[in-house]
mmCIF file of all heavy atoms in Angstrom:
data_model
loop_
_atom_site.group_PDB
_atom_site.id
_atom_site.type_symbol
_atom_site.label_atom_id
_atom_site.label_comp_id
_atom_site.label_asym_id
_atom_site.label_seq_id
_atom_site.Cartn_x
_atom_site.Cartn_y
_atom_site.Cartn_z
ATOM 1 N N PHE B 23 0.191 36.601 -71.678
ATOM 2 C CA PHE B 23 0.139 36.770 -73.130
ATOM 3 C C PHE B 23 1.304 37.640 -73.558
ATOM 4 O O PHE B 23 1.854 38.402 -72.746
ATOM 5 C CB PHE B 23 -1.170 37.466 -73.537
ATOM 6 C CG PHE B 23 -2.390 36.708 -73.160
ATOM 7 C CD1 PHE B 23 -3.103 37.035 -72.007
ATOM 8 C CD2 PHE B 23 -2.841 35.655 -73.945
ATOM 9 C CE1 PHE B 23 -4.232 36.322 -71.646
ATOM 10 C CE2 PHE B 23 -3.973 34.945 -73.592
ATOM 11 C CZ PHE B 23 -4.675 35.279 -72.439
ATOM 12 N N ASP B 81 29.866 54.624 -65.578
ATOM 13 C CA ASP B 81 30.412 54.423 -64.226
ATOM 14 C C ASP B 81 30.465 52.953 -63.829
ATOM 15 O O ASP B 81 30.738 52.632 -62.673
ATOM 16 C CB ASP B 81 29.556 55.179 -63.188
ATOM 17 C CG ASP B 81 29.732 56.682 -63.324
ATOM 18 O OD1 ASP B 81 30.799 57.096 -63.827
ATOM 19 O OD2 ASP B 81 28.807 57.428 -62.955
ATOM 20 N N TYR B 175 21.029 32.205 -38.905
ATOM 21 C CA TYR B 175 20.666 31.459 -37.706
ATOM 22 C C TYR B 175 21.680 30.375 -37.356
ATOM 23 O O TYR B 175 21.409 29.508 -36.540
ATOM 24 C CB TYR B 175 19.256 30.860 -37.869
ATOM 25 C CG TYR B 175 18.162 31.889 -37.804
ATOM 26 C CD1 TYR B 175 17.522 32.342 -38.951
ATOM 27 C CD2 TYR B 175 17.765 32.432 -36.582
ATOM 28 C CE1 TYR B 175 16.515 33.293 -38.884
ATOM 29 C CE2 TYR B 175 16.757 33.379 -36.509
ATOM 30 C CZ TYR B 175 16.139 33.806 -37.664
ATOM 31 O OH TYR B 175 15.134 34.745 -37.592
ATOM 32 N N PRO B 284 1.690 27.414 -31.098
ATOM 33 C CA PRO B 284 1.540 27.056 -29.687
ATOM 34 C C PRO B 284 2.695 27.644 -28.890
ATOM 35 O O PRO B 284 3.854 27.544 -29.305
ATOM 36 C CB PRO B 284 1.617 25.519 -29.695
ATOM 37 C CG PRO B 284 2.324 25.163 -30.943
ATOM 38 C CD PRO B 284 2.209 26.289 -31.912
ATOM 39 N N MET B 324 13.271 22.699 -68.210
ATOM 40 C CA MET B 324 13.354 23.833 -69.138
ATOM 41 C C MET B 324 12.081 23.887 -69.974
ATOM 42 O O MET B 324 11.604 22.854 -70.466
ATOM 43 C CB MET B 324 14.566 23.633 -70.067
ATOM 44 C CG MET B 324 14.922 24.874 -70.847
ATOM 45 S SD MET B 324 15.625 26.181 -69.807
ATOM 46 C CE MET B 324 17.315 25.593 -69.648
#
Side-chain angles (χ1 to χ4, degrees):
Chain B
F23 299 99
D81 290 335
Y175 288 103
M324 193 70 80

